[in-house]
Amino acid sequence: MNTTHTVSFPAPSHWIDGRAVRGSGPMLDVVNPADASVVATLHESTDAELDLAVSAALAAFDGWAATSVEHRAAVMRRLAEGLEKHGEELAAVITLEMGAPISFSRQAQVGFPVASVLAAVAAAERFEWTSEVENSLVVREPIGVVGAITPWNFPLQQLVTKVVPAMLAGNTVVLKPSELSPLSARMFAEAATEAGLPDGVFNVVQGTGSVVGEALARHPRIDMISFTGSTRAGRAVSVAASGTVKRVALELGGKAAHVILPEADLDAAVPRGLAFAWANAGQACGAYVRMLVPEALQETVVEKLRAAAEEYTVGDPADEATRIGPLASETQRRRVDGYIRRGVSDGATLVVGGPGRPEGLETGAYVRPTIFSDVDPESVIAQEEIFGPVLVVIPYVDDDHAVELANGTIYGLNGAVSGDQEHALAIARRLRVGQVDVNGGPHNFQAPFGGYKQSGNGREMGRAGLEEFLETKVITR
């Protein structure tokens, strides 16, 4: 059953100074990727509307920055309660706007943001806002007005990991969510207002990255830009922001390697690796999309992957049984399908999946979840971020070779290692990435998240996530 006509949500208008503002720019459609139906329309922000949002944030800054950390934390706790209260509606809306299976939307698309808000509150309550260095007082203060630009793949989680720490630090915010998934951002705005957030502290402007995102980055009264998206788009944001020398924090692409060591428990490591490669239809910067395996074990690993893949049902994301829904848009479907075709033409061995749509799913942004083996580590599908349910298996000969392969892309966001704990930790220390999962360690919402190399700069989550949004003042006496 598809939920297109049963999910209720507010119109995806701008949200400025605590109220909905319809806007006057060009119209953009919000499309349900499961059936290509238009579920909402929105007006792209004009320069005048962006100025209005920035002015509201500026006007609210002094008052919000002057409140106590305890007060700000209490507002954010109430916000977490509101998100949890409306969790089922939020999950249904995220499934509608970007195609995540409803079970995944409940668990990750809504569950993770609630946990992230509470983790940020705990970090703020423990944070040392002032310290002394000999005869100097070191004070941590909010930067000012933060421009946040968030992607469509985890629309609420990526919003929360920027906006909530920024506001806890005393900043005010102007957010531009993805035009593909704007509905959940509007719901977040209403939940924040219900939680007691003062007018103007959080504002939303709608539109495309190339128009509104770049205008936000260029804006002379924005003090900082925090961006999550592709590496290509991150470069454009950096250029746009450079004219005003504002701080820029970037969380960009990834091409995570999952190194399976010779002694690893394959019955646990292989299905876990596939789950992290195909979750959210592979639309995650941290997806484990390269599985590095000992040459002698490649055939065994491939057979286990083939068996594990049979457990993945592709279909309507509103169906409780679906594990992989559509990609977020038809544009994304064509892009991913192009990579699958490139893998075939470049000679990689097709294990499951392949080009074209899954049988019976001729409408909607669906691709066939795909696994390649015997993949050349220098090939396009091994080097470029595909952002779809495509896993490549690459054989290695020894530890040094595995590390060389794992580090052999322009990205450095994250990775994973499975094997004997000490052996796996030794390999993890050699990976040039921001975070490494060893043997499926549970997610830590207090740990910093961010990348090396062209996966970005700066960190989100925990103490480091707060520090991103703070200036340092020294008062010497």
Side-chain angles (χ1 to χ4, degrees):
M1 181 186 71
N2 192 284
T3 59
T4 301
H5 303 294
T6 60
V7 178
S8 61
F9 50 85
S13 57
H14 312 307
W15 186 266
I16 300 173
D17 206 17
R19 64 186 179 88
V21 175
R22 180 170 173 79
S24 57
M27 298 295 292
L28 301 173
D29 290 335
V30 181
V31 176
N32 178 0
D35 61 11
S37 63
V38 175
V39 297
T41 57
L42 59 89
H43 286 275
E44 185 160 54
S45 173
T46 63
D47 287 345
E49 288 149 1
L50 177 57
D51 282 341
L52 189 64
V54 174
S55 295
L58 275 167
F61 173 70
D62 285 343
W64 180 246
T67 61
S68 67
V69 175
E70 291 76 16
H71 174 76
R72 299 196 294 264
V75 173
M76 296 305 141
R77 276 204 190 87
R78 292 194 294 271
L79 172 59
E81 291 170 0
L83 296 177
E84 191 166 33
K85 174 184 174 183
H86 296 291
E88 192 63 27
E89 301 157 62
L90 279 163
V93 163
I94 292 171
T95 291
L96 181 71
E97 67 184 350
M98 58 74 58
I102 187 62
S103 58
F104 186 80
S105 286
R106 292 191 189 104
Q107 174 212 351
Q109 298 281 10
V110 176
F112 285 3
V114 171
S116 295
V117 174
L118 295 175
V121 168
E125 290 175 331
R126 291 195 298 264
F127 194 80
E128 187 177 20
W129 298 91
T130 61
S131 60
E132 294 195 14
V133 179
E134 297 181 356
N135 63 318
S136 296
L137 180 67
V138 180
V139 183
R140 308 306 302 276
E141 297 182 338
I143 287 176
V145 178
V146 173
I149 304 173
T150 52
W152 44 260
N153 60 323
F154 283 90
L156 188 58
Q157 171 67 358
Q158 297 289 358
L159 184 164
V160 160
T161 55
K162 296 184 187 306
V163 167
V164 169
M167 294 191 298
L168 280 166
N171 300 283
T172 55
V173 177
V174 178
L175 167 76
K176 191 212 80 70
S178 170
E179 70 278 12
L180 298 182
S181 54
L183 308 177
S184 49
R186 169 61 193 280
M187 294 177 72
F188 176 91
E190 293 195 351
T193 298
E194 290 173 5
L197 190 70
D199 293 348
V201 174
F202 176 69
N203 308 273
V204 180
V205 289
Q206 304 285 1
T208 61
S210 60
V211 176
V212 182
E214 290 199 25
L216 189 63
R218 287 193 305 269
H219 202 287
R221 294 186 295 169
I222 293 286
D223 299 292
M224 174 184 174
I225 288 290
S226 181
F227 171 85
T228 295
S230 70
T231 296
R232 176 193 56 76
R235 295 189 195 108
V237 166
S238 294
V239 170
S242 64
T244 50
V245 200
K246 56 173 61 75
R247 186 183 300 182
V248 178
L250 303 172
E251 200 268 279
L252 306 177
K255 194 71 176 177
H258 177 194
V259 181
I260 295 185
L261 299 173
E263 72 279 3
D265 178 356
L266 298 184
D267 289 333
V270 172
R272 181 172 67 244
L274 184 62
F276 276 94
W278 282 0
N280 207 37
Q283 299 169 124
C285 53
Y288 301 169
V289 292
R290 294 183 296 148
M291 185 174 285
L292 309 187
V293 303
E295 280 184 335
L297 293 178
Q298 182 178 212
E299 185 176 339
T300 301
V301 167
V302 165
E303 289 310 306
K304 291 184 181 297
L305 282 170
R306 198 190 310 273
E310 293 179 359
E311 302 298 318
Y312 285 78
T313 303
V314 182
D316 181 356
D319 189 329
E320 299 283 352
T322 294
R323 293 188 68 179
I324 298 180
L327 300 184
S329 68
E330 176 60 18
T331 299
Q332 183 68 3
R333 187 199 69 79
R334 291 175 182 171
R335 180 178 184 274
V336 172
D337 188 66
Y339 274 111
I340 296 171
R341 293 177 190 278
R342 180 63 182 267
V344 172
S345 67
D346 284 351
T349 300
L350 188 62
V351 178
V352 299
R357 297 174 180 272
E359 185 177 352
L361 294 171
E362 286 73 30
T363 301
Y366 294 94
V367 297
R368 298 171 68 193
T370 296
I371 300 171
F372 288 106
S373 66
D374 298 303
V375 174
D376 178 350
E378 299 302 318
S379 66
V380 168
I381 61 169
Q383 288 290 318
E384 296 185 11
E385 186 176 40
I386 297 173
F387 226 61
V390 181
L391 172 67
V392 302
V393 180
I394 303 173
Y396 67 85
V397 295
D398 57 24
D399 282 4
D400 289 344
H401 188 210
V403 171
E404 178 187 353
L405 293 173
N407 291 335
T409 75
I410 64 170
Y411 300 106
L413 185 59
N414 67 320
V417 187
S418 295
D420 171 77
Q421 191 78 354
E422 291 305 312
H423 188 188
L425 285 170
I427 297 296
R429 289 181 177 275
R430 298 175 65 186
L431 301 186
R432 295 279 298 160
V433 298
Q435 43 277 312
V436 185
D437 165 19
V438 172
N439 291 323
H443 186 74
N444 181 358
F445 288 95
Q446 289 291 353
F449 182 86
Y452 289 21
K453 300 190 286 186
Q454 292 191 38
S455 285
N457 54 56
R459 292 294 183 270
E460 297 179 335
M461 310 292 285
R463 176 187 174 87
L466 279 172
E467 289 176 329
E468 283 295 321
F469 300 102
L470 292 170
E471 290 282 20
T472 301
K473 176 186 288 182
V474 176
I475 303 173
T476 301
R477 300 158 293 185

